Amino acid sequence: MTRYVLSFAGAGRVASALCQRFYEKDIKIDRIVSGKGKSADTLAGKCKATAGRELKFDQETDVIIVAVPDHLLQEVLNNIECPEETLVAHTAGSFGLEVFPERIKRSGVFYPLQTFTTGRNIAFDNIPLFIEASDPDAKHILDNLAGILGARVHFMDLDKRKLIHLAAVFTCNFTNHMFTIGKTMALKAGSDFNVLEPLIRETVEKALEYGPESSQTGPAIRNDQITLKRHLDLLSFSPEFQDIYRHITQSIIGFHKKSEK
Ligand SMILES: NC(=O)c1ccc[n+]([C@@H]2O[C@H](COP(=O)([O-])OP(=O)(O)OC[C@H]3O[C@@H](n4cnc5c(N)ncnc54)[C@H](OP(=O)(O)O)[C@@H]3O)[C@@H](O)[C@H]2O)c1
């Protein structure tokens, strides 16, 4: 398999996870650039790369992976200086190739469908990795890189990938916020988050095994108006949580009514 030399723009959650996994797989990491420089220094120290703040890359680098916050992506891409033959790929789920300036001739998207947090060691095996590229050769390189990580490759254009990104927001980000609200209730009861652990595990396992629509339980799907009212009364300390409770309840009732028809 061809070996590539990689560089990174960004040294945060995604860049760290990718960079460390590539390094473990004997891929050479040349240069790591970050905004303030500190995160690049730390990451470069772990993978024998050089660190810096200037978005300048020479011909030593075959592929630059850009993993910066979405609102900075356009600006960072505009400021990258690299040889014409260098492939530049970003990791943002809801952006496509349109975000690259015209002078970057070889471009791609390398979007891992996973949630990354500093300090957590993510195994990439079988993680879905969504790839888009400017040309067949760039596609081949990104496919090879995904293979080195052990990820499961999906070739998908932006319109479809935006929907996958949205699905990730609902299933991961929103669910996690529900955990946070659940934790608030548990603490209010003088208990802690751990009391919910078996429930969380079974909820996820059941949804994966039977499908989420078949796994729905609770007062909303039973249309148990007495319990629903009691819960809203209990939530009188937070009009915000009451609102969330009403919306999700209506969504569950509406969704399951429709699917009964
Ligand atoms: N987090 C996830 O779970 C996840 C999953 C899939 C895809 N993504 C996508 O991956 C991308 C990166 O997300 P992230 O969560 O890894 O972000 P992050 O943890 O916030 O890290 C952002 C990195 O960008 C650097 N940066 C800021 N300005 C820069 C500049 N001008 N030049 C170079 N580097 C700069 C920051 O450096 P300083 O700290 O030094 O400023 C930091 O190292 C986003 O497009 C996101 O949508 C994220």
Side-chain angles (χ1 to χ4, degrees):
M1 190 184 281
T2 320
R3 291 275 148 181
Y4 305 103
V5 176
L6 305 186
S7 283
F8 284 84
R13 289 165 284 201
V14 172
S16 298
L18 287 172
C19 181
Q20 288 183 73
R21 181 44 66 107
F22 278 124
Y23 182 67
E24 283 162 21
K25 297 277 177 182
D26 283 334
I27 295 292
K28 183 172 178 215
I29 314 295
D30 183 40
R31 181 169 165 75
I32 301 171
V33 178
S34 74
K36 300 185 199 86
K38 199 167 167 240
S39 56
D41 277 343
T42 309
L43 187 56
K46 290 179 186 163
C47 55
K48 295 192 183 139
T50 59
R53 294 183 58 195
E54 270 190 300
L55 291 157
K56 279 188 182 163
F57 304 87
D58 63 21
Q59 65 280 0
E60 172 75 3
T61 294
D62 299 305
V63 183
I64 303 166
I65 297 182
V66 182
V68 298
D70 287 358
H71 69 280
L72 294 176
L73 182 58
Q74 182 88 67
E75 181 193 324
V76 167
L77 292 175
N78 285 344
N79 288 326
I80 283 181
E81 287 178 36
C82 64
E84 210 176 84
E85 63 275 15
T86 310
L87 168 58
V88 185
H90 72 69
T91 60
S94 51
F95 289 88
L97 300 178
E98 79 295 338
V99 74
F100 289 91
E102 224 172 86
R103 60 180 179 77
I104 294 182
K105 298 290 178 226
R106 305 184 74 205
S107 59
V109 180
F110 197 72
Y111 167 58
L113 186 62
Q114 184 52 285
T115 172
F116 297 91
T117 298
T118 309
R120 283 190 69 79
N121 189 13
I122 295 283
F124 279 86
D125 310 275
N126 288 323
I127 284 182
L129 214 147
F130 291 82
I131 287 176
E132 196 183 348
S134 58
D135 57 89
D137 189 46
K139 188 173 170 182
H140 178 70
I141 292 172
L142 294 179
D143 189 19
N144 269 349
L145 287 174
I148 290 168
L149 293 174
R152 221 173 343 123
V153 172
H154 298 255
F155 296 106
M156 200 177 267
D157 64 23
L158 177 61
D159 285 346
K160 289 186 179 144
R161 207 177 52 248
K162 274 184 186 164
L163 287 170
I164 296 290
H165 185 242
L166 190 55
V169 169
F170 271 95
T171 50
C172 169
N173 306 149
F174 287 2
T175 302
N176 194 66
H177 187 59
M178 293 297 149
F179 293 164
T180 308
I181 296 176
K183 179 178 172 179
T184 314
M185 310 297 154
L187 293 178
K188 244 183 157 357
S191 185
D192 58 26
F193 187 52
N194 288 344
V195 78
L196 298 167
E197 186 183 327
L199 180 64
I200 290 172
R201 289 191 191 283
E202 175 60 8
T203 304
V204 173
E205 278 167 24
K206 195 168 49 158
L208 291 174
E209 201 173 325
Y210 300 136
E213 316 86 315
S214 315
S215 306
Q216 190 68 49
T217 55
I221 195 168
R222 293 194 307 270
N223 209 348
D224 175 351
Q225 291 298 329
I226 293 170
T227 306
L228 293 173
K229 162 109 185 33
R230 275 190 192 144
H231 284 172
L232 283 169
D233 290 345
L234 266 176
L235 284 171
S236 58
F237 69 94
S238 167
E240 188 194 333
F241 290 167
Q242 276 182 326
D243 250 15
I244 294 173
Y245 190 97
R246 272 193 208 98
H247 275 105
I248 305 275
T249 297
Q250 277 316 314
S251 178
I252 294 171
I253 293 172
F255 183 91
H256 287 275
K257 241 191 206 152
K258 252 189 250 154
S259 58
E260 273 166 21
K261 283 181 187 165

